[in-house]
Amino acid sequence: MVTASKHPIMQHMLSELRDARTPPPRFRQLVRTLAIVLGHEATADLETIASEVMTPLGRAATRTLADVVGIVPILRAGLGMAEGLLELFPAAEVWHIGLFRDEATLRPTEYYNKFPARPRVSLALLVDPMLATGGSAVRACEILKGAGVPRLKLLSLIAAPEGIARVRQAMPDVPIHVGAVDQRLNEVGFIYPGLGDAGDRQFGTATAVVDA
Ligand code: PRP
């Protein structure tokens, strides 16, 4: 299932995120805040269990999350989204997966991962601001399933239709939540019109403007 956010804050802030003039400090803030907006929407169906606490005045019936949540950023660009989601799920485990796209083949190359041998996580929120060809997301889902995570959701701020189709085809059981669906991939595999390279724009390492 694919859900594209219609939230006005998402739309407003995506406009600023896409803007080539937005500098890295503001870009990072936006990624973090937009991850919270998308995270709210993507987790609206989580189960809760009955609980109870003592307030200063007496006993209160409460509900708490049933899931052990894991936040899984795909390095590098997912790091900013993970920070935002930690505001919603401060007790989440954060698992890192390092993947970069080979610029010639556009295929993902694994260079790092860090998570426990026996996963406690029952729901992993895989985060990457960009879903382009979908190669990185599919590989990350394979890694997480291989690690024994029973349930995954993918959260991306901007997606290309090609990437969505690829994840849906390879991982039909993984719900996809996106901030916006763009027109297409361009000839070098960038989301068009997109926002450029989310990793470079967050971390100040952009060297050139990518032409359409
Ligand atoms: C970008 C982006 C995604 C991936 C998307 O990362 O952040 O991880 O490409 O492309 P795909 O859907 O075609 O796989 P990149 O490889 O540039 O690495 P970086 O985050 O370290 O810059």
Side-chain angles (χ1 to χ4, degrees), residues 74-77 99-101 106 111 128-137 197 199-200:
I74 299 180
L75 306 179
R76 292 173 298 171
L99 292 172
F100 68 86
R101 254 184 7 164
L106 300 183
Y111 61 89
D128 191 329
M130 302 177 76
L131 178 60
T133 66
S136 302
D197 184 311
D200 283 335

Side-chain angles (χ1 to χ4, degrees), residues 2-14:
V2 183
T3 309
S5 176
K6 293 188 170 60
H7 202 294
I9 292 173
M10 173 68 70
Q11 293 174 352
H12 182 85
M13 287 193 174
L14 275 181

